[in-house]
Amino acid sequence: MSILLIATIIFMILCLVVGAPIFSVFGGLSLALFSLLGQDLSVILGDVFKLATAPALVAIPLFIFVGYYLAETNIAHRLLKAFDGFLGWLPAGLCLAIIISTDVFTAFTGATAVTIVAFGGLALPILKEKGYPDRFNLGLITVQGSSGLLFVPCIVVILYGLVSQTDIRGLYIACFIPALLLEAVQWFYSIYESRKRGIASTPFSFKYLFEGIYAVRWEAPLAVFVIGGIFMGFVTVEESAVVSVLYVLIVEGLILREVSWNKLPKIVVESMIMLGAIFFILGVALSFTNYLVYQEVPQKLLEYMKVVFTNKWTFLIGLNIFLLIVGMLLDIFSAIIIVVPLIIPIAKYFGIDPLLLGVIFLVNLQLGFITPPVGMSLFIASMRFGRPVREIFHGVWPFFLVLLVALVIITY
């Protein structure tokens, strides 16, 4: 059976590389493998049901709805204006404003693709006008938002906490400083680029600062409540999700009126289609994971790792390389379901803190979004800007290198 398992994994990787839908790959493999074991195939539906009825999972559909709803508003423009007012006077302040505003946007939408689409048309002309070259602009916008996956209330952290049975609030707190480090290294590279090009900062203006604050006067309380409430333990993740839905409906629908109530059914349908797609992928991926557990793959993998790696430092090197490859081939949701149960026993054996493991895992996977050959953000940016993927990566690779340095710092 071990030879069959290796063959099926190789087949799965080949299918993913040639572009087969990920749910069909995992679903087909799960059906085939459980059939060979003589198991009742209804076990796969049971896995989907078990996943969909997890109590803490209620926060995910609510935050997905909030993200889709906010994507219909002008919040991207307001966020950029606010952070530019706060930070535009710093060296490469415009770049820092883009970095932070896109991360905040991604944290609430949970999708880097939406961030690239929403901020691409807004930020690209501003950067060009400022004097930054196209290569840098494309790289900056393509990379942006990925570190937002580590911030409250991003659904990726929630899902990792559920699968790994790690405290979700503790994960958010553990991810905070690493996320700031990822933002910092991107900013430092932007400073280098701006000084090389002789691009001056915008003079500080109280008028522009107050205009920025006024622009986000309605969204700022929501961010403070969700982030502060979860960090301080005043509200649970699920409670903050419910409040977020009510808040955006009242503020954006009744006060600012940026989203017509006629659009609400369309937003609900689109967000729930996305939710269904995510849950379906997670369900079939969970079935494949259960097969691996049934075949005692984690235990066998642990015994092998004990021979290959002599201490936790060499294990962490191998883990980072492995996760970067996983991030290139799998979407982050499937990767969490399949890979996390495999690496947790190994990390526990080598004495890796569960929260640190979560941070390392998520940072690696967000790097996978911008890693060729199949980094999703590269293709989204290529379609958004009408440029070849090779040209997009030419702008992305300096950011990839500095983020890789940050990953090493976070790991060790």
Side-chain angles (χ1 to χ4, degrees), residues 190-224:
S190 301
I191 293 174
Y192 165 77
E193 190 71 27
S194 63
R195 288 181 174 172
K196 186 173 72 171
R197 306 282 174 181
I199 300 172
S201 302
T202 304
F204 179 79
S205 168
F206 278 109
K207 180 176 180 293
Y208 192 41
L209 172 62
F210 290 133
E211 286 177 355
I213 295 173
Y214 185 78
V216 293
R217 66 194 183 280
W218 291 109
E219 286 85 5
L222 174 63
V224 171

PDB file of all heavy atoms in Angstrom, residues 190-224:
ATOM      1  N   SER A 190      11.481  49.220  -0.217  1.00  0.00           N
ATOM      2  CA  SER A 190      10.866  50.372  -0.899  1.00  0.00           C
ATOM      3  C   SER A 190      11.679  51.639  -0.658  1.00  0.00           C
ATOM      4  O   SER A 190      11.820  52.481  -1.569  1.00  0.00           O
ATOM      5  CB  SER A 190       9.427  50.556  -0.407  1.00  0.00           C
ATOM      6  OG  SER A 190       8.642  49.414  -0.652  1.00  0.00           O
ATOM      7  N   ILE A 191      12.216  51.795   0.553  1.00  0.00           N
ATOM      8  CA  ILE A 191      13.073  52.954   0.848  1.00  0.00           C
ATOM      9  C   ILE A 191      14.319  52.917  -0.028  1.00  0.00           C
ATOM     10  O   ILE A 191      14.728  53.943  -0.604  1.00  0.00           O
ATOM     11  CB  ILE A 191      13.464  52.965   2.346  1.00  0.00           C
ATOM     12  CG1 ILE A 191      12.231  53.235   3.218  1.00  0.00           C
ATOM     13  CG2 ILE A 191      14.541  54.018   2.614  1.00  0.00           C
ATOM     14  CD1 ILE A 191      12.499  53.122   4.701  1.00  0.00           C
ATOM     15  N   TYR A 192      14.922  51.741  -0.139  1.00  0.00           N
ATOM     16  CA  TYR A 192      16.102  51.589  -1.002  1.00  0.00           C
ATOM     17  C   TYR A 192      15.776  51.984  -2.437  1.00  0.00           C
ATOM     18  O   TYR A 192      16.529  52.721  -3.089  1.00  0.00           O
ATOM     19  CB  TYR A 192      16.593  50.136  -0.936  1.00  0.00           C
ATOM     20  CG  TYR A 192      17.558  49.770  -2.039  1.00  0.00           C
ATOM     21  CD1 TYR A 192      18.888  50.166  -1.998  1.00  0.00           C
ATOM     22  CD2 TYR A 192      17.120  49.021  -3.145  1.00  0.00           C
ATOM     23  CE1 TYR A 192      19.767  49.826  -3.023  1.00  0.00           C
ATOM     24  CE2 TYR A 192      17.988  48.683  -4.167  1.00  0.00           C
ATOM     25  CZ  TYR A 192      19.310  49.093  -4.105  1.00  0.00           C
ATOM     26  OH  TYR A 192      20.173  48.778  -5.119  1.00  0.00           O
ATOM     27  N   GLU A 193      14.655  51.528  -2.942  1.00  0.00           N
ATOM     28  CA  GLU A 193      14.264  51.815  -4.317  1.00  0.00           C
ATOM     29  C   GLU A 193      13.975  53.307  -4.509  1.00  0.00           C
ATOM     30  O   GLU A 193      14.369  53.907  -5.519  1.00  0.00           O
ATOM     31  CB  GLU A 193      13.025  50.990  -4.694  1.00  0.00           C
ATOM     32  CG  GLU A 193      12.665  51.010  -6.160  1.00  0.00           C
ATOM     33  CD  GLU A 193      13.619  50.233  -7.032  1.00  0.00           C
ATOM     34  OE1 GLU A 193      14.252  49.277  -6.520  1.00  0.00           O
ATOM     35  OE2 GLU A 193      13.753  50.582  -8.223  1.00  0.00           O
ATOM     36  N   SER A 194      13.310  53.918  -3.532  1.00  0.00           N
ATOM     37  CA  SER A 194      12.965  55.340  -3.669  1.00  0.00           C
ATOM     38  C   SER A 194      14.209  56.228  -3.606  1.00  0.00           C
ATOM     39  O   SER A 194      14.311  57.217  -4.341  1.00  0.00           O
ATOM     40  CB  SER A 194      11.969  55.758  -2.580  1.00  0.00           C
ATOM     41  OG  SER A 194      12.552  55.627  -1.292  1.00  0.00           O
ATOM     42  N   ARG A 195      15.169  55.856  -2.766  1.00  0.00           N
ATOM     43  CA  ARG A 195      16.410  56.643  -2.680  1.00  0.00           C
ATOM     44  C   ARG A 195      17.253  56.457  -3.940  1.00  0.00           C
ATOM     45  O   ARG A 195      17.889  57.402  -4.417  1.00  0.00           O
ATOM     46  CB  ARG A 195      17.192  56.253  -1.431  1.00  0.00           C
ATOM     47  CG  ARG A 195      16.531  56.769  -0.152  1.00  0.00           C
ATOM     48  CD  ARG A 195      17.309  56.411   1.087  1.00  0.00           C
ATOM     49  NE  ARG A 195      16.718  57.033   2.271  1.00  0.00           N
ATOM     50  CZ  ARG A 195      17.096  56.780   3.513  1.00  0.00           C
ATOM     51  NH1 ARG A 195      18.082  55.897   3.745  1.00  0.00           N
ATOM     52  NH2 ARG A 195      16.507  57.391   4.528  1.00  0.00           N
ATOM     53  N   LYS A 196      17.251  55.243  -4.489  1.00  0.00           N
ATOM     54  CA  LYS A 196      17.992  54.997  -5.716  1.00  0.00           C
ATOM     55  C   LYS A 196      17.412  55.818  -6.867  1.00  0.00           C
ATOM     56  O   LYS A 196      18.150  56.299  -7.736  1.00  0.00           O
ATOM     57  CB  LYS A 196      17.943  53.503  -6.057  1.00  0.00           C
ATOM     58  CG  LYS A 196      18.816  53.126  -7.250  1.00  0.00           C
ATOM     59  CD  LYS A 196      18.876  51.616  -7.439  1.00  0.00           C
ATOM     60  CE  LYS A 196      17.564  51.078  -7.974  1.00  0.00           C
ATOM     61  NZ  LYS A 196      17.672  49.643  -8.358  1.00  0.00           N
ATOM     62  N   ARG A 197      16.093  56.017  -6.846  1.00  0.00           N
ATOM     63  CA  ARG A 197      15.430  56.776  -7.914  1.00  0.00           C
ATOM     64  C   ARG A 197      15.323  58.265  -7.601  1.00  0.00           C
ATOM     65  O   ARG A 197      14.850  59.036  -8.434  1.00  0.00           O
ATOM     66  CB  ARG A 197      14.019  56.227  -8.143  1.00  0.00           C
ATOM     67  CG  ARG A 197      13.963  54.736  -8.406  1.00  0.00           C
ATOM     68  CD  ARG A 197      14.361  54.381  -9.807  1.00  0.00           C
ATOM     69  NE  ARG A 197      14.446  52.929  -9.990  1.00  0.00           N
ATOM     70  CZ  ARG A 197      14.793  52.350 -11.112  1.00  0.00           C
ATOM     71  NH1 ARG A 197      15.102  53.085 -12.164  1.00  0.00           N
ATOM     72  NH2 ARG A 197      14.861  51.030 -11.189  1.00  0.00           N
ATOM     73  N   GLY A 198      15.737  58.641  -6.385  1.00  0.00           N
ATOM     74  CA  GLY A 198      15.647  60.052  -6.006  1.00  0.00           C
ATOM     75  C   GLY A 198      14.225  60.535  -5.826  1.00  0.00           C
ATOM     76  O   GLY A 198      13.899  61.703  -6.114  1.00  0.00           O
ATOM     77  N   ILE A 199      13.341  59.661  -5.328  1.00  0.00           N
ATOM     78  CA  ILE A 199      11.928  60.015  -5.137  1.00  0.00           C
ATOM     79  C   ILE A 199      11.742  60.601  -3.746  1.00  0.00           C
ATOM     80  O   ILE A 199      12.023  59.939  -2.740  1.00  0.00           O
ATOM     81  CB  ILE A 199      11.032  58.781  -5.339  1.00  0.00           C
ATOM     82  CG1 ILE A 199      11.212  58.232  -6.755  1.00  0.00           C
ATOM     83  CG2 ILE A 199       9.572  59.120  -5.076  1.00  0.00           C
ATOM     84  CD1 ILE A 199      10.518  56.908  -7.002  1.00  0.00           C
ATOM     85  N   ALA A 200      11.269  61.815  -3.703  1.00  0.00           N
ATOM     86  CA  ALA A 200      11.111  62.517  -2.426  1.00  0.00           C
ATOM     87  C   ALA A 200       9.787  62.148  -1.766  1.00  0.00           C
ATOM     88  O   ALA A 200       8.822  61.760  -2.431  1.00  0.00           O
ATOM     89  CB  ALA A 200      11.172  64.022  -2.655  1.00  0.00           C
ATOM     90  N   SER A 201       9.753  62.257  -0.443  1.00  0.00           N
ATOM     91  CA  SER A 201       8.529  62.004   0.306  1.00  0.00           C
ATOM     92  C   SER A 201       7.591  63.204   0.212  1.00  0.00           C
ATOM     93  O   SER A 201       8.015  64.325  -0.068  1.00  0.00           O
ATOM     94  CB  SER A 201       8.851  61.722   1.778  1.00  0.00           C
ATOM     95  OG  SER A 201       9.724  60.618   1.903  1.00  0.00           O
ATOM     96  N   THR A 202       6.336  62.948   0.480  1.00  0.00           N
ATOM     97  CA  THR A 202       5.337  64.028   0.509  1.00  0.00           C
ATOM     98  C   THR A 202       5.459  64.784   1.828  1.00  0.00           C
ATOM     99  O   THR A 202       5.509  64.159   2.891  1.00  0.00           O
ATOM    100  CB  THR A 202       3.921  63.444   0.382  1.00  0.00           C
ATOM    101  OG1 THR A 202       3.846  62.650  -0.807  1.00  0.00           O
ATOM    102  CG2 THR A 202       2.886  64.557   0.325  1.00  0.00           C
ATOM    103  N   PRO A 203       5.536  66.116   1.790  1.00  0.00           N
ATOM    104  CA  PRO A 203       5.620  66.881   3.044  1.00  0.00           C
ATOM    105  C   PRO A 203       4.406  66.609   3.933  1.00  0.00           C
ATOM    106  O   PRO A 203       3.294  66.408   3.441  1.00  0.00           O
ATOM    107  CB  PRO A 203       5.646  68.332   2.571  1.00  0.00           C
ATOM    108  CG  PRO A 203       6.107  68.280   1.151  1.00  0.00           C
ATOM    109  CD  PRO A 203       5.595  66.984   0.606  1.00  0.00           C
ATOM    110  N   PHE A 204       4.655  66.584   5.241  1.00  0.00           N
ATOM    111  CA  PHE A 204       3.562  66.331   6.180  1.00  0.00           C
ATOM    112  C   PHE A 204       2.544  67.457   6.127  1.00  0.00           C
ATOM    113  O   PHE A 204       2.898  68.639   6.064  1.00  0.00           O
ATOM    114  CB  PHE A 204       4.112  66.194   7.599  1.00  0.00           C
ATOM    115  CG  PHE A 204       3.049  65.964   8.630  1.00  0.00           C
ATOM    116  CD1 PHE A 204       2.489  64.706   8.794  1.00  0.00           C
ATOM    117  CD2 PHE A 204       2.589  67.012   9.427  1.00  0.00           C
ATOM    118  CE1 PHE A 204       1.498  64.481   9.746  1.00  0.00           C
ATOM    119  CE2 PHE A 204       1.600  66.796  10.379  1.00  0.00           C
ATOM    120  CZ  PHE A 204       1.056  65.524  10.536  1.00  0.00           C
ATOM    121  N   SER A 205       1.284  67.085   6.159  1.00  0.00           N
ATOM    122  CA  SER A 205       0.209  68.066   6.117  1.00  0.00           C
ATOM    123  C   SER A 205      -0.893  67.664   7.096  1.00  0.00           C
ATOM    124  O   SER A 205      -1.454  66.560   6.982  1.00  0.00           O
ATOM    125  CB  SER A 205      -0.369  68.180   4.706  1.00  0.00           C
ATOM    126  OG  SER A 205      -1.576  68.902   4.705  1.00  0.00           O
ATOM    127  N   PHE A 206      -1.171  68.545   8.064  1.00  0.00           N
ATOM    128  CA  PHE A 206      -2.256  68.264   9.011  1.00  0.00           C
ATOM    129  C   PHE A 206      -3.600  68.182   8.278  1.00  0.00           C
ATOM    130  O   PHE A 206      -4.469  67.381   8.635  1.00  0.00           O
ATOM    131  CB  PHE A 206      -2.329  69.347  10.094  1.00  0.00           C
ATOM    132  CG  PHE A 206      -1.341  69.124  11.213  1.00  0.00           C
ATOM    133  CD1 PHE A 206      -0.243  69.960  11.352  1.00  0.00           C
ATOM    134  CD2 PHE A 206      -1.507  68.091  12.121  1.00  0.00           C
ATOM    135  CE1 PHE A 206       0.675  69.761  12.379  1.00  0.00           C
ATOM    136  CE2 PHE A 206      -0.601  67.890  13.151  1.00  0.00           C
ATOM    137  CZ  PHE A 206       0.496  68.722  13.282  1.00  0.00           C
ATOM    138  N   LYS A 207      -3.734  68.993   7.265  1.00  0.00           N
ATOM    139  CA  LYS A 207      -4.986  68.992   6.493  1.00  0.00           C
ATOM    140  C   LYS A 207      -5.216  67.621   5.853  1.00  0.00           C
ATOM    141  O   LYS A 207      -6.306  67.057   5.947  1.00  0.00           O
ATOM    142  CB  LYS A 207      -4.936  70.083   5.420  1.00  0.00           C
ATOM    143  CG  LYS A 207      -6.179  70.178   4.542  1.00  0.00           C
ATOM    144  CD  LYS A 207      -6.054  71.350   3.588  1.00  0.00           C
ATOM    145  CE  LYS A 207      -7.292  71.470   2.702  1.00  0.00           C
ATOM    146  NZ  LYS A 207      -7.424  70.349   1.765  1.00  0.00           N
ATOM    147  N   TYR A 208      -4.169  67.093   5.214  1.00  0.00           N
ATOM    148  CA  TYR A 208      -4.292  65.793   4.556  1.00  0.00           C
ATOM    149  C   TYR A 208      -4.477  64.680   5.592  1.00  0.00           C
ATOM    150  O   TYR A 208      -5.219  63.720   5.370  1.00  0.00           O
ATOM    151  CB  TYR A 208      -3.054  65.536   3.703  1.00  0.00           C
ATOM    152  CG  TYR A 208      -3.184  64.369   2.759  1.00  0.00           C
ATOM    153  CD1 TYR A 208      -4.364  64.137   2.057  1.00  0.00           C
ATOM    154  CD2 TYR A 208      -2.130  63.482   2.560  1.00  0.00           C
ATOM    155  CE1 TYR A 208      -4.490  63.069   1.187  1.00  0.00           C
ATOM    156  CE2 TYR A 208      -2.244  62.403   1.693  1.00  0.00           C
ATOM    157  CZ  TYR A 208      -3.436  62.211   1.015  1.00  0.00           C
ATOM    158  OH  TYR A 208      -3.557  61.151   0.155  1.00  0.00           O
ATOM    159  N   LEU A 209      -3.819  64.834   6.746  1.00  0.00           N
ATOM    160  CA  LEU A 209      -3.956  63.850   7.821  1.00  0.00           C
ATOM    161  C   LEU A 209      -5.398  63.787   8.312  1.00  0.00           C
ATOM    162  O   LEU A 209      -5.985  62.698   8.432  1.00  0.00           O
ATOM    163  CB  LEU A 209      -3.019  64.207   8.973  1.00  0.00           C
ATOM    164  CG  LEU A 209      -3.177  63.374  10.260  1.00  0.00           C
ATOM    165  CD1 LEU A 209      -2.867  61.901   9.991  1.00  0.00           C
ATOM    166  CD2 LEU A 209      -2.272  63.920  11.359  1.00  0.00           C
ATOM    167  N   PHE A 210      -5.991  64.953   8.580  1.00  0.00           N
ATOM    168  CA  PHE A 210      -7.369  64.985   9.081  1.00  0.00           C
ATOM    169  C   PHE A 210      -8.364  64.525   8.014  1.00  0.00           C
ATOM    170  O   PHE A 210      -9.385  63.911   8.337  1.00  0.00           O
ATOM    171  CB  PHE A 210      -7.722  66.381   9.576  1.00  0.00           C
ATOM    172  CG  PHE A 210      -6.996  66.766  10.833  1.00  0.00           C
ATOM    173  CD1 PHE A 210      -6.378  67.996  10.960  1.00  0.00           C
ATOM    174  CD2 PHE A 210      -6.925  65.880  11.901  1.00  0.00           C
ATOM    175  CE1 PHE A 210      -5.702  68.346  12.107  1.00  0.00           C
ATOM    176  CE2 PHE A 210      -6.252  66.222  13.069  1.00  0.00           C
ATOM    177  CZ  PHE A 210      -5.643  67.452  13.173  1.00  0.00           C
ATOM    178  N   GLU A 211      -8.050  64.801   6.752  1.00  0.00           N
ATOM    179  CA  GLU A 211      -8.904  64.302   5.673  1.00  0.00           C
ATOM    180  C   GLU A 211      -8.874  62.774   5.631  1.00  0.00           C
ATOM    181  O   GLU A 211      -9.915  62.129   5.404  1.00  0.00           O
ATOM    182  CB  GLU A 211      -8.440  64.870   4.324  1.00  0.00           C
ATOM    183  CG  GLU A 211      -8.789  66.335   4.114  1.00  0.00           C
ATOM    184  CD  GLU A 211      -8.237  66.849   2.785  1.00  0.00           C
ATOM    185  OE1 GLU A 211      -7.512  66.090   2.106  1.00  0.00           O
ATOM    186  OE2 GLU A 211      -8.536  68.014   2.449  1.00  0.00           O
ATOM    187  N   GLY A 212      -7.686  62.199   5.859  1.00  0.00           N
ATOM    188  CA  GLY A 212      -7.563  60.746   5.890  1.00  0.00           C
ATOM    189  C   GLY A 212      -8.318  60.135   7.063  1.00  0.00           C
ATOM    190  O   GLY A 212      -8.994  59.114   6.915  1.00  0.00           O
ATOM    191  N   ILE A 213      -8.187  60.759   8.236  1.00  0.00           N
ATOM    192  CA  ILE A 213      -8.906  60.272   9.417  1.00  0.00           C
ATOM    193  C   ILE A 213     -10.418  60.347   9.193  1.00  0.00           C
ATOM    194  O   ILE A 213     -11.165  59.422   9.520  1.00  0.00           O
ATOM    195  CB  ILE A 213      -8.503  61.080  10.665  1.00  0.00           C
ATOM    196  CG1 ILE A 213      -7.022  60.847  10.992  1.00  0.00           C
ATOM    197  CG2 ILE A 213      -9.378  60.704  11.855  1.00  0.00           C
ATOM    198  CD1 ILE A 213      -6.510  61.733  12.108  1.00  0.00           C
ATOM    199  N   TYR A 214     -10.847  61.455   8.609  1.00  0.00           N
ATOM    200  CA  TYR A 214     -12.280  61.637   8.351  1.00  0.00           C
ATOM    201  C   TYR A 214     -12.787  60.604   7.358  1.00  0.00           C
ATOM    202  O   TYR A 214     -13.929  60.123   7.468  1.00  0.00           O
ATOM    203  CB  TYR A 214     -12.525  63.053   7.810  1.00  0.00           C
ATOM    204  CG  TYR A 214     -13.979  63.385   7.615  1.00  0.00           C
ATOM    205  CD1 TYR A 214     -14.799  63.724   8.698  1.00  0.00           C
ATOM    206  CD2 TYR A 214     -14.554  63.342   6.342  1.00  0.00           C
ATOM    207  CE1 TYR A 214     -16.143  64.013   8.515  1.00  0.00           C
ATOM    208  CE2 TYR A 214     -15.890  63.629   6.152  1.00  0.00           C
ATOM    209  CZ  TYR A 214     -16.679  63.969   7.236  1.00  0.00           C
ATOM    210  OH  TYR A 214     -18.018  64.254   7.053  1.00  0.00           O
ATOM    211  N   ALA A 215     -11.939  60.222   6.395  1.00  0.00           N
ATOM    212  CA  ALA A 215     -12.354  59.269   5.360  1.00  0.00           C
ATOM    213  C   ALA A 215     -12.694  57.905   5.951  1.00  0.00           C
ATOM    214  O   ALA A 215     -13.588  57.206   5.446  1.00  0.00           O
ATOM    215  CB  ALA A 215     -11.262  59.142   4.302  1.00  0.00           C
ATOM    216  N   VAL A 216     -11.977  57.501   7.011  1.00  0.00           N
ATOM    217  CA  VAL A 216     -12.211  56.167   7.602  1.00  0.00           C
ATOM    218  C   VAL A 216     -12.899  56.274   8.961  1.00  0.00           C
ATOM    219  O   VAL A 216     -12.781  55.374   9.791  1.00  0.00           O
ATOM    220  CB  VAL A 216     -10.887  55.389   7.746  1.00  0.00           C
ATOM    221  CG1 VAL A 216     -10.314  55.047   6.395  1.00  0.00           C
ATOM    222  CG2 VAL A 216      -9.865  56.159   8.593  1.00  0.00           C
ATOM    223  N   ARG A 217     -13.612  57.357   9.164  1.00  0.00           N
ATOM    224  CA  ARG A 217     -14.232  57.591  10.479  1.00  0.00           C
ATOM    225  C   ARG A 217     -15.250  56.502  10.841  1.00  0.00           C
ATOM    226  O   ARG A 217     -15.476  56.226  12.028  1.00  0.00           O
ATOM    227  CB  ARG A 217     -14.917  58.960  10.505  1.00  0.00           C
ATOM    228  CG  ARG A 217     -16.105  59.082   9.567  1.00  0.00           C
ATOM    229  CD  ARG A 217     -16.521  60.538   9.390  1.00  0.00           C
ATOM    230  NE  ARG A 217     -17.700  60.678   8.543  1.00  0.00           N
ATOM    231  CZ  ARG A 217     -17.679  60.628   7.216  1.00  0.00           C
ATOM    232  NH1 ARG A 217     -16.533  60.387   6.603  1.00  0.00           N
ATOM    233  NH2 ARG A 217     -18.788  60.789   6.528  1.00  0.00           N
ATOM    234  N   TRP A 218     -15.848  55.870   9.836  1.00  0.00           N
ATOM    235  CA  TRP A 218     -16.837  54.834  10.118  1.00  0.00           C
ATOM    236  C   TRP A 218     -16.212  53.439  10.173  1.00  0.00           C
ATOM    237  O   TRP A 218     -16.687  52.575  10.912  1.00  0.00           O
ATOM    238  CB  TRP A 218     -17.942  54.848   9.049  1.00  0.00           C
ATOM    239  CG  TRP A 218     -18.816  56.068   9.130  1.00  0.00           C
ATOM    240  CD1 TRP A 218     -18.862  57.115   8.257  1.00  0.00           C
ATOM    241  CD2 TRP A 218     -19.752  56.373  10.169  1.00  0.00           C
ATOM    242  NE1 TRP A 218     -19.767  58.046   8.675  1.00  0.00           N
ATOM    243  CE2 TRP A 218     -20.346  57.620   9.846  1.00  0.00           C
ATOM    244  CE3 TRP A 218     -20.158  55.718  11.333  1.00  0.00           C
ATOM    245  CZ2 TRP A 218     -21.310  58.216  10.638  1.00  0.00           C
ATOM    246  CZ3 TRP A 218     -21.125  56.311  12.128  1.00  0.00           C
ATOM    247  CH2 TRP A 218     -21.692  57.543  11.786  1.00  0.00           C
ATOM    248  N   GLU A 219     -15.166  53.192   9.390  1.00  0.00           N
ATOM    249  CA  GLU A 219     -14.544  51.865   9.391  1.00  0.00           C
ATOM    250  C   GLU A 219     -13.595  51.661  10.561  1.00  0.00           C
ATOM    251  O   GLU A 219     -13.412  50.535  11.030  1.00  0.00           O
ATOM    252  CB  GLU A 219     -13.770  51.634   8.080  1.00  0.00           C
ATOM    253  CG  GLU A 219     -14.656  51.383   6.868  1.00  0.00           C
ATOM    254  CD  GLU A 219     -15.134  52.661   6.211  1.00  0.00           C
ATOM    255  OE1 GLU A 219     -14.693  53.739   6.653  1.00  0.00           O
ATOM    256  OE2 GLU A 219     -15.929  52.597   5.254  1.00  0.00           O
ATOM    257  N   ALA A 220     -12.965  52.730  11.042  1.00  0.00           N
ATOM    258  CA  ALA A 220     -11.971  52.605  12.119  1.00  0.00           C
ATOM    259  C   ALA A 220     -12.543  51.953  13.384  1.00  0.00           C
ATOM    260  O   ALA A 220     -11.890  51.083  13.981  1.00  0.00           O
ATOM    261  CB  ALA A 220     -11.370  53.972  12.442  1.00  0.00           C
ATOM    262  N   PRO A 221     -13.758  52.325  13.836  1.00  0.00           N
ATOM    263  CA  PRO A 221     -14.290  51.662  15.041  1.00  0.00           C
ATOM    264  C   PRO A 221     -14.431  50.153  14.883  1.00  0.00           C
ATOM    265  O   PRO A 221     -14.222  49.408  15.840  1.00  0.00           O
ATOM    266  CB  PRO A 221     -15.660  52.337  15.225  1.00  0.00           C
ATOM    267  CG  PRO A 221     -15.530  53.662  14.562  1.00  0.00           C
ATOM    268  CD  PRO A 221     -14.627  53.421  13.387  1.00  0.00           C
ATOM    269  N   LEU A 222     -14.787  49.705  13.678  1.00  0.00           N
ATOM    270  CA  LEU A 222     -14.924  48.258  13.458  1.00  0.00           C
ATOM    271  C   LEU A 222     -13.575  47.568  13.627  1.00  0.00           C
ATOM    272  O   LEU A 222     -13.469  46.538  14.298  1.00  0.00           O
ATOM    273  CB  LEU A 222     -15.482  47.988  12.060  1.00  0.00           C
ATOM    274  CG  LEU A 222     -15.549  46.506  11.649  1.00  0.00           C
ATOM    275  CD1 LEU A 222     -16.496  45.746  12.564  1.00  0.00           C
ATOM    276  CD2 LEU A 222     -15.987  46.381  10.195  1.00  0.00           C
ATOM    277  N   ALA A 223     -12.526  48.142  13.027  1.00  0.00           N
ATOM    278  CA  ALA A 223     -11.194  47.550  13.136  1.00  0.00           C
ATOM    279  C   ALA A 223     -10.736  47.521  14.592  1.00  0.00           C
ATOM    280  O   ALA A 223     -10.170  46.524  15.061  1.00  0.00           O
ATOM    281  CB  ALA A 223     -10.202  48.338  12.283  1.00  0.00           C
ATOM    282  N   VAL A 224     -10.981  48.618  15.316  1.00  0.00           N
ATOM    283  CA  VAL A 224     -10.581  48.687  16.725  1.00  0.00           C
ATOM    284  C   VAL A 224     -11.328  47.638  17.542  1.00  0.00           C
ATOM    285  O   VAL A 224     -10.747  46.949  18.389  1.00  0.00           O
ATOM    286  CB  VAL A 224     -10.832  50.101  17.288  1.00  0.00           C
ATOM    287  CG1 VAL A 224     -10.637  50.116  18.807  1.00  0.00           C
ATOM    288  CG2 VAL A 224      -9.908  51.111  16.626  1.00  0.00           C
TER     289      VAL A 224
END
